């Protein structure tokens, strides 16, 4: 076959070099070696015709071919050169290479606990629209291509059941286990990739490195009920402990994984029906250290805006820039509404709501970050500390400019005024009133199909809540949410609690809903364990929001939006309706650092056995490139952080790697928080 | 010469040009007539173009050049565009179309067993453990030499093999083990992939466990109730525990599965070599702690409901002998016969075989597949369980009765075949009665070849006389083959013999059988004390399976493998079992029936000394039927070694047992072959 083809091609090319130019003559009879006398004359005309003909489709083909050939050539060259260039880049990215030369060797088994959104999910059983996707990724890796192909189907499968918080009937979506995932869907765990590679360099492999995959949409206890995820994790840790010569494990949770692992710590020591039955000494026996990365111990304000209007900072910006695209039902997309509908079925989102109420997050007129100073116009960040004031006289002006502290305590305020004015000038009875008239909560008769719970609210109450001059703190916020999203909060509050315990001995705190809240649980009795809070600082982080009523009044619309038109003066913390504070872009310093800096420091009632805690901050440097970035997710590639983890995994204690390392105001903020310890 | 050229050219042009004319002719004529300006513009354009390309219009050859290059690009562009267009169509196509097309051609497909059984109301019940076999499990890189920079976490084995096409030698270096220790060479860590992805697909699109998993999922199984017991299939079984703690992991995971399923015991599905691995595991887990898992004597009884061995090489496979001896199997030998130069010669400097052989010989696990039980099981010089030796001469007249023994359709005429002779040097020696063969003892001194070859193989330490001596011994049975391997590859076999044993135990209570090297040999171990457990042997029948080989001494050259399968030898008649130097018997293409079925048909049947607690055993055979058409892929009724995992009947059995059925419920034995008759002929103390 191939030889036939060659034979056919060869004469063609030989031929064409000889009298190619006459190629398109219509009188094919003349086409031979015989010489045509009038050839020179006819040639010009033919050539023109020839090109005239080529001009359309042919030149398209020609261009494509030309581009392809060039592309292939370059690709070929690239691949030829690649093996020679690769060797030079890698060592720099690998702190492990250096540490290995120092003689560091992995000793303690390592367990990685991913956070929300970063774990992969795959389909085990689906509706007919998801045919052929069995055990294919829906989330992570190649999963997102499905979003483009069949968006509604994709959303349907990622939603959970509205009442149970488990799978809807007929759909089973499960977490993807494994470290790298399969190599054909490689970048699934891009988040952990760099860390895993570094760990591998100093001797880690499948038997002493484990990724605790769990379904991050479920509430923590439900991962055990449905998937036995906590039992699996327990068995895995015990196995690694035994199989590696009784070496305790180092746990590295990230983001929401932090709360998940707190839950695990309580679960594993609780007796069987509710817990894992490991007995009171389990943690002391099996865990060396918990290195929390970007921990959201006390929740994130982002979760609030997410629940209220499915918006974050970025979405709001985007909306401001291209007003029509997201809002109007043009294209029939209604992306935000869809997102909201799906994400409200995820219990885990509620675990990220701010915990500790006004004591931690501040009330109407006070917040622990009162002295925080922002200047994002210069993309710089100043610490308000005496030393800074003395040294940077030139910056002092900016520091003093903010006389009136930002009222961070008002996490949601409707209208700019509500976010600035002193509380005495604001109407006080807000929710009580509305809650009382909740009898008037009736169906909007105009909407025949309730999409989000907003559709079940009357216009009136929506307007009342969203009337200007109302502000909500971390405590009153829950009343608001209970009102606008009653079903979800009902469901989720059976699994999570957001308060502060008065008396930790109260037997009610044995219930699992308190286990993931560090302010309502005692750390296990494990005096030799260590807890690290490692997080990035120096990046503006959403802390509170200015909201407005959505202009559109139609059905299936989210009635509230972040008011992106509101901006503070230059150098203010307010930008496009969002007040920023210090943090790692997602988690404010307060949430990430407080427990290690104060709540658990020393021997407190939350930490009765005096587990050592360390605050390790990683400051953002102006050129935030990959290996030095400290943003919430990118920090997983930060070389300083990786080095710390490697050292701890190789046996170092917190003192040996340098104890606390603090750049932010966390100590000062913690001081201002008045919490009985 | 010129005539055909011009013919082709005119033919080709007339085809393409007529096509172009038909489309563009109207256009061009219109422009010419209607709007001369355009034409002028066109001409101006042309001139510009020509200037750009610096091809003077007045010279003929100039435009020739342009045209050729042009044509090339045009052609490539056309192909690409069409390709992209098709790709686009393919991607936008609803997923139901391929199925629709298939249905239109073949008629409605039968429901996959999972769907069918779900309609019957079957639900997930017992957790399931999958034990992959040799070669099918994935391996990934955790630490590599310099040449493998950047491939961390990539698959070395299985998956796409993608990255390693580019650097074959690097790949060989990483996939080989250390010759002395049997572990990784220093500086290299290659580890098994864990999770279901380890062996669901071997390469993209080539399923191994995927079909089984999909069907299990239909009746409600998911990640939490399925466990893939991945292990490094290159290592000897005990070494997987020493290096990776694989056995400990399996134990811990089975315990977890039982605990999280409310005490429901697991159903284990080992495939191929996984069968022996799991035998090893069962002994290991009940052995006290330092050497074993310390699970106590009733661990298996407490945790295992049934073991459903799929394509089980309990007693080894003759294929492994050919692989050890000359890294050949039937298919490779046939390929060599067709293109003699390609694989043998050092042309291209490839030396594929020697590389492969070296790699293969570093893998301890391959020793587990050497035939076990010696002449008692596999037959001696003049008898074998598969042939009726006694009546051979008496039945000479009635040919039909010897062929198709018992009317069950043997795959070839077994009359007069001496299956017992696993290796014979020439066809004559394979057929002559043993009394007429003079065998020369080969155990002489070995003269070392002084030549230095690039690639180390133990063959190079053998002199020509030694090679001749091996050939002069003429025939080898399953017993003497071990001596042969010990002779040609002493170091290798010494390493292998410390991990595996191939004999038959006289006295199973002898304390020496506590040693781990006996644990994977069913003829040298006792099954655990678990009377409620069930053991199934599920295997395919109806495919020609390698059972014996005819070898020849390769044409002497310094650095090649000195023995080859003699592919020129064929049987006398059409249906002869001898083809291309290979004697075939019935089996699943890799494992002969005698190896897969004997233990369950006789060795363990009832209460025997190998099965003191009387665990019930079942033989389930699946007759091979080739796929009806191409669209069916690898078939739903296949009996071949790996494709069996896609066999609907087998999957249905598996699902039923996993959902709680016993062996009696699914119909007990189902046998097509003569395995019971053959087992009868094997004379072994039970």
């Amino acid at each position: 076959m191939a030889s036939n083809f060659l034979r056919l091609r060869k004469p063609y090319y030989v031929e064409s070099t000889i009298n190619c130019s006459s190629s398109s003559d219509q009188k094919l009879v003349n086409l031979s070696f015989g010489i045509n006398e009038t050839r020179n004359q006819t040639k010009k005309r033919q050539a023109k015709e020839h090109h005239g003909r080529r001009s359309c489709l042919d030149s398209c083909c020609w261009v494509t071919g030309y581009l392809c050939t060039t592309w292939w050539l370059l690709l070929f060259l690239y691949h030829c050169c690649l093996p020679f260039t690769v060797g030079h880049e890698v060592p720099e990215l690998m702190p492990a290479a250096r540490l290995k030369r120092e003689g560091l060797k992995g000793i303690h088994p390592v367990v990685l606990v991913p956070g929300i959104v970063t774990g992969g999910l795959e389909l085990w059983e689906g509706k007919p629209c998801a045919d052929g996707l069995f055990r294919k990724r829906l989330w992570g890796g190649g999963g997102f291509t499905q979003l483009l192909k069949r968006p509604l189907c994709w959303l349907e499968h990622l939603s959970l059941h509205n009442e149970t918080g488990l799978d809807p009937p007929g759909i089973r979506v499960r977490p993807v286990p494994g470290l790298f995932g399969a190599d054909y869907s490689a970048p699934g765990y891009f988040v952990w990739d760099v860390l895993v590679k570094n760990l591998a360099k100093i001797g880690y492999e499948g038997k002493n490195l484990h990724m605790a995959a769990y379904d991050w949409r479920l509430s923590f206890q439900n991962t055990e009920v449905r998937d036995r995820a906590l039992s699996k994790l327990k068995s895995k840790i015990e196995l690694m402990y035994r199989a590696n010569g009784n070496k305790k494990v180092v746990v590295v949770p990230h983001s929401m994984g932090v709360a998940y692992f707190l839950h695990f710590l309580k679960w594993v020591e609780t007796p069987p029906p509710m817990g894992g039955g490991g007995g009171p000494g389990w943690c002391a026996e099996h865990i060396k250290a918990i290195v929390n990365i970007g921990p959201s111990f006390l929740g994130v304000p982002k979760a609030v805006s997410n629940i209220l209007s499915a918006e974050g900072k970025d979405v709001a910006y985007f909306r401001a820039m291209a007003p029509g695209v997201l809002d109007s039902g043009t294209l029939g997309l209604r992306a935000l509404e869809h997102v909201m509908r799906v994400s409200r079925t995820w219990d885990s989102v509620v675990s990220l709501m701010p915990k500790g109420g006004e004591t931690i997050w501040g009330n109407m007129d006070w917040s622990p970050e009162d002295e925080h100073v922002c200047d994002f116009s210069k993309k710089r960040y100043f610490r308000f500390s005496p030393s800074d004031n003395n040294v940077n006289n030139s910056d002092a002006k900016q520091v003093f400019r903010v006389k009136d502290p930002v009222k961070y305590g008002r996490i949601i305020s409707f209208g700019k005024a509500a976010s600035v004015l002193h509380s005495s000038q604001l109407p006080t009875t807000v929710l009580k009133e509305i809650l009382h008239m909740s009898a008037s909560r009736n169906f909007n008769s105009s909407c025949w199909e309730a999409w989000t719970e907003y559709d079940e609210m009357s216009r009136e109450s929506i307007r009342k809540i969203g009337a200007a001059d109302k502000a909500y703190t971390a405590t009153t916020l829950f009343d608001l949410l209970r009102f606008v999203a009653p079903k979800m909060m009902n469901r989720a509050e059976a699994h999570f609690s957001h308060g502060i315990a008065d008396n930790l001995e109260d037997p009610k705190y044995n219930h699992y809903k308190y286990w993931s809240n560090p302010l309502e649980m005692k750390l296990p009795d494990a005096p030799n364990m260590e807890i690290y809070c490692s997080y990035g600082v120096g990046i503006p982080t959403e802390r509170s929001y200015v909201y407005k009523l959505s202009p559109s009044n139609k059905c299936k619309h989210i009635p509230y939006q972040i008011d992106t038109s509101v901006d503070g003066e230059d150098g203010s913390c307010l930008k496009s309706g969002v007040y920023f504070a210090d943090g790692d872009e997602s988690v404010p310093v307060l949430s990430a650092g407080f427990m290690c800096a104060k709540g658990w420091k020393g021997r407190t009632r939350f930490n009765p056995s005096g587990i050592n805690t360390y605050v390790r901050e990683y400051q953002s440097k102006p050129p935030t490139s990959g290996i030095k970035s400290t943003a919430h997710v990118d920090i997983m590639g930060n070389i300083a952080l990786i080095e710390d983890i490697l050292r701890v995994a190789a046996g170092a204690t917190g003192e040996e790697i340098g104890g606390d390392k603090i750049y932010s105001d966390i100590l000062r903020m913690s001081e201002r928080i008045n919490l009985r310890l | 010469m010129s005539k055909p050229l011009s013919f082709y050219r005119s033919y080709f042009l007339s085809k393409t040009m007529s096509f172009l004319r038909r489309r563009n002719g109207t256009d061009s004529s219109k422009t010419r007539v209607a709007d001369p300006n355009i034409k002028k513009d066109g001409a101006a354009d042309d001139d510009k173009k020509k200037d750009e390309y610096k091809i003077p219009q007045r010279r003929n050859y100039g435009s020739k050049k342009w045209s050729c290059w042009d044509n090339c690009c045009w052609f490539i562009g056309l192909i690409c565009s069409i390709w992209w267009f098709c790709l686009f169509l393919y991607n936008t196509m609803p997923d139901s179309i391929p199925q629709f097309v298939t249905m239109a051609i073949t008629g409605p497909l039968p429901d996959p067993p999972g769907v069918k059984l779900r309609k019957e109301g079957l639900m997930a019940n017992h957790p399931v453990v999958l034990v992959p076999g040799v070669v099918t499990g994935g391996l990934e890189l955790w630490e590599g030499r310099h040449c493998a920079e950047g491939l961390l976490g990539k698959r070395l084995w299985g998956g796409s093999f993608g990255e390693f096409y580019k650097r074959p030698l690097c790949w060989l270096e990483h996939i080989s083990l250390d010759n002395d220790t049997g572990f990784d060479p220093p500086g290299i860590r290659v580890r098994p992939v864990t999770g279901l992805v380890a062996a669901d697909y071997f390469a993209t699109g080539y399923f191994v466990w995927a079909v089984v998993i999909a069907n299990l999922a239909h009746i409600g199984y998911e990640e939490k109730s399925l466990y893939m017991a991945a292990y490094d299939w290159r290592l000897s079984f005990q070494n997987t525990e020493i290096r990776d703690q694989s056995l400990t992991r399996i134990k811990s995971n089975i315990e977890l599965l039982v605990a999280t399923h409310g005490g429901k015991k697991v159903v284990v599905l080992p495939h191929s070599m996984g069968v022996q691995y799991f035998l090893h595991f069962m002994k290991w887990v009940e052995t006290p702690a330092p050497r074993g898992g310390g699970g106590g004597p009733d661990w298996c009884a407490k945790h295992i409901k049934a073991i459903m061995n799929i394509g089980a090489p309990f007693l080894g496979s003759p294929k492994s002998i050919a692989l050890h001896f000359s890294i050949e199997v039937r298919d490779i030998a046939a390929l060599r016969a067709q293109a003699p130069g390609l694989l043998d010669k050092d042309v291209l400097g490839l030396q594929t075989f020697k590389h492969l052989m070296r790699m293969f010989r570093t893998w301890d696990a391959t020793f587990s597949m050497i035939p076990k039980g010696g002449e008692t099981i596999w037959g001696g010089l003049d008898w074998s369980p598969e042939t009726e030796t006694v009546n051979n001469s008496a039945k000479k007249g009635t040919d039909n009765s010897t062929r198709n023994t018992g009317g069950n359709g043997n795959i070839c005429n077994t009359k007069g075949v001496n299956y017992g002779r696993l290796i014979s040097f020439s066809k004559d020696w394979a057929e002559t009665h043993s009394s007429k063969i003079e065998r020369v003892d080969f155990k002489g001194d070995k003269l070392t070849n002084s030549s230095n070859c690039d690639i180390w193989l133990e063959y190079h330490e053998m002199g020509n006389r030694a090679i001749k001596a091996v050939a002069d011994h003429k025939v080898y049975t399953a017993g003497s083959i071990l001596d042969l391997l010990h002779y040609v590859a002493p170091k290798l076999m010494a390493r292998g013999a410390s991990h595996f044993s191939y004999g038959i135990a006289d006295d199973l209570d002898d304390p020496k059988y506590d040693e781990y090297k006996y644990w994977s040999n069913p003829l040298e171990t006792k099954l655990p004390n678990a009377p409620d457990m069930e053991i199934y042997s599920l295997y395919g029948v109806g495919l020609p399976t390698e059972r014996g080989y005819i070898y020849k001494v390769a044409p002497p050259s310094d650095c090649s493998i000195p023995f080859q399968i003699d592919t020129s030898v064929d049987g006398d008649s059409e249906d002869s079992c001898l083809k291309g130097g290979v004697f075939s018997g019935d089996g699943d293409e890799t494992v002969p029936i005698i190896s897969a079925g004997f233990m369950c048909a006789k060795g363990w049947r009832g209460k025997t000394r190998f099965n003191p607690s009387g665990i019930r055993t079942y033989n389930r055979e699946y007759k091979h039927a080739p796929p009806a058409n191409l669209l069916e892929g690898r078939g739903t009724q296949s009996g071949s070694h790996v494709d069996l995992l896609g066999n609907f009947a087998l999957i249905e059995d598996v699902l039923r047992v996993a959902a709680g059925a016993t062996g009696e419920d699914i119909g007990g034995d189902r046998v097509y072959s003569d395995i019971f008759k053959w087992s009868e002929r094997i004379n072994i103390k039970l």
Side-chain angles (χ1 to χ4, degrees), chain A residues 452-630:
Chain A
T452 59
E453 288 181 278
Y454 283 128
D455 292 338
E456 294 172 15
M457 287 168 64
S458 68
R459 288 270 152 264
E460 228 173 302
S461 45
I462 286 177
R463 235 171 288 127
K464 271 232 164 100
I465 287 174
D469 305 341
K470 294 214 173 74
Y472 300 88
T473 66
T475 307
T476 51
L477 191 67
F478 282 91
D479 297 329
L480 171 68
L481 289 179
R482 269 178 218 128
F483 187 74
V484 300
K487 272 191 210 156
M488 176 198 191
M489 293 304 285
N490 250 344
R491 200 181 64 227
E493 288 200 312
H495 287 287
F496 298 106
S497 167
H498 300 88
I500 297 179
D502 286 328
N503 176 17
L504 279 166
E505 305 302 327
D506 193 332
K508 79 166 182 177
Y509 289 114
N510 290 333
H511 191 266
Y512 62 78
K513 78 179 209 181
Y514 300 106
W515 290 348
S516 60
N517 181 357
L519 298 172
E520 290 180 305
M521 52 107 48
K522 279 189 284 187
L523 285 182
D525 178 27
N528 293 323
M529 208 167 88
E530 289 176 326
I531 296 182
Y532 297 80
C533 292
S534 310
Y535 52 90
V537 295
I539 302 177
T541 307
E542 293 156 68
R543 179 68 171 76
S544 54
Y545 302 89
V546 178
Y547 262 83
K548 67 174 181 195
L549 270 175
S550 159
S552 141
N553 209 15
K554 277 178 266 166
C555 283
K556 299 183 184 179
H557 262 267
I558 300 170
Y560 310 115
Q561 305 185 339
I562 293 176
D563 190 352
T564 45
S565 62
V566 179
D567 264 314
E569 53 192 286
D570 204 25
S572 131
C573 293
L574 176 63
K575 210 168 178 202
S576 306
V578 181
Y579 282 102
F580 291 98
D582 193 9
D584 69 358
E585 212 172 17
S586 290
V587 184
V589 169
L590 183 65
S591 169
F594 173 74
M595 288 318 289
C596 285
K598 187 172 176 197
W600 287 332
K601 199 83 181 183
R603 215 180 263 264
T604 69
R605 65 192 180 110
F606 301 110
N607 179 10
S609 62
I611 295 169
N612 284 328
T613 59
Y614 301 96
V615 179
R616 306 279 297 171
E617 296 188 340
Y618 302 90
Q619 193 172 11
S620 164
K621 306 242 165 50
T624 45
S625 61
I627 55 168
K628 290 197 174 147
S629 172
T630 63

Side-chain angles (χ1 to χ4, degrees), chain A residues 429-476:
Chain A
T429 54
V430 191
L431 270 161
K432 300 279 180 284
E433 216 173 85
I434 301 169
L435 288 175
H436 281 142
M437 64 164 228
S438 62
S440 71
R441 243 179 123 254
N442 51 2
F443 274 90
N444 255 348
S445 49
S446 53
C447 302
W448 4 284
E449 191 193 359
W451 261 41
T452 59
E453 288 181 278
Y454 283 128
D455 292 338
E456 294 172 15
M457 287 168 64
S458 68
R459 288 270 152 264
E460 228 173 302
S461 45
I462 286 177
R463 235 171 288 127
K464 271 232 164 100
I465 287 174
D469 305 341
K470 294 214 173 74
Y472 300 88
T473 66
T475 307
T476 51

Side-chain angles (χ1 to χ4, degrees), chain A residues 11 15 17-18 51 54 57-58 61-62 134-135 150 172 174 177 183 197 200 203-205 207 226, chain B residues 5 9 46 53 64 66 70-71 74 77 142 152 189 191 200 217 220-224 243 245:
Chain A
E15 230 7 56
T17 46
I18 295 165
H51 283 289
R54 281 194 173 283
L57 192 76
D58 293 339
C61 284
W62 182 85
F134 175 66
R135 288 190 57 230
R150 28 192 151 177
R172 281 183 292 154
R174 295 290 178 267
D183 67 348
K197 281 182 175 160
Y204 281 93
E205 58 194 47
K207 70 173 170 184
R226 198 193 71 180
Chain B
L5 280 186
R9 171 168 168 69
D46 281 350
Y53 287 95
K64 273 178 221 156
W66 149 249
D70 197 42
N71 276 333
W74 177 83
W142 279 88
L152 190 69
R189 280 184 296 146
R191 295 291 179 265
D200 54 352
Y221 281 91
E222 54 192 63
E223 190 81 41
K224 73 171 170 191
R243 198 192 69 182
Q245 281 88 40

Side-chain angles (χ1 to χ4, degrees), chain B residues 281-541:
Chain B
F281 170 79
M282 283 199 293
K283 286 302 279 186
W284 175 87
V285 77
E286 299 202 338
T287 305
R291 289 179 310 120
D298 56 351
W299 193 93
C300 293
K302 270 192 211 150
H303 292 91
I304 302 174
K305 173 189 190 288
I307 304 172
M308 307 190 81
N309 301 293
I310 301 171
F314 279 118
L315 303 175
S317 161
K319 216 175 191 171
S320 70
I321 295 209
L323 280 171
H324 271 290
F325 200 53
S326 66
I327 194 88
E328 284 178 308
V329 285
R330 185 177 49 199
D331 308 323
I332 295 179
L335 181 65
R336 162 180 280 167
Q338 280 180 347
L342 196 62
L343 291 172
D344 291 326
K345 301 279 160 51
D346 298 344
V347 275
L348 311 172
L350 281 177
Q351 297 185 307
T352 326
F353 268 96
K354 273 136 278 173
H355 277 297
L356 283 179
M357 185 159 199
R358 199 161 74 134
M359 172 182 87
F360 183 77
R361 282 192 167 183
T362 64
W363 296 346
D364 283 346
T366 54
F367 293 108
S368 70
M369 305 293 278
I370 289 176
K372 290 166 183 166
E375 299 189 5
T376 316
I377 301 289
W378 296 93
L381 286 174
D382 291 318
W383 80 278
S384 70
E386 286 104 325
T387 45
E388 292 181 51
T389 45
V390 191
N391 301 335
N392 222 358
S393 48
K395 277 193 178 177
K396 223 167 201 173
T398 56
D399 229 27
N400 280 336
S401 60
T402 30
R403 186 198 301 169
N404 301 344
T405 330
N408 279 328
N410 277 353
I411 47 135
C412 60
N413 187 356
T414 58
K415 192 192 125 205
V417 176
N418 290 314
Y419 280 129
R421 305 176 187 182
L422 287 185
I423 286 186
S424 0
F425 281 88
S426 98
K427 188 183 172 189
D428 290 342
W429 301 131
E431 287 172 351
T432 323
H433 194 268
S434 64
S435 55
K436 293 172 198 153
I437 303 176
E438 293 171 37
R439 296 204 295 174
V440 185
D441 199 13
F442 55 81
K443 278 167 188 128
D445 54 333
K446 294 208 282 182
L447 286 183
T448 313
N449 270 0
S450 54
S451 64
N452 40 352
C453 303
D454 299 348
I455 299 167
W456 180 92
L457 280 178
E458 284 190 271
Y459 276 132
H460 304 145
E461 292 171 14
M462 284 174 67
N464 285 333
R465 259 179 53 204
I467 292 171
K468 190 165 176 303
V470 167
D472 280 347
H473 190 251
K474 289 164 191 148
V475 286
Y476 296 89
T477 62
S480 55
I481 202 100
L482 286 173
D483 299 332
L484 171 65
L485 287 176
H486 270 294
Y487 180 66
V488 299
K491 277 190 214 162
L492 180 83
M493 288 305 286
R495 210 179 67 225
S498 66
H499 288 290
F500 298 102
S501 169
Y502 314 103
I504 298 178
D506 286 330
D507 176 16
L508 277 166
D509 292 319
D510 192 330
K512 80 165 182 176
Y513 288 115
D514 289 343
E515 209 183 313
Y516 64 79
K517 75 176 202 179
Y518 299 105
W519 288 348
S520 60
N521 181 356
L523 297 173
E524 290 178 306
T525 50
K526 281 190 277 191
L527 286 180
N529 180 22
D532 293 334
M533 207 165 90
E534 289 177 326
I535 296 183
Y536 297 80
S537 188
L538 318 169
Y539 52 92
V541 296

Side-chain angles (χ1 to χ4, degrees), chain A residues 135 177-178, chain B residues 155 192-200 223 227-230 249:
Chain A
R135 288 190 57 230
Chain B
R155 280 199 182 194
V193 178
T194 53
L196 292 178
V197 287
D200 54 352
E223 190 81 41
Y227 170 62
M228 178 78 77
R249 277 206 239 185

Side-chain angles (χ1 to χ4, degrees), chain B residues 345 449 463-464 467 552-564:
Chain B
K345 301 279 160 51
N449 270 0
N464 285 333
I467 292 171
K552 66 176 178 192
V553 176
S557 80
D558 263 356
C559 296
S560 64
I561 300 165
F563 306 106
Q564 287 181 358

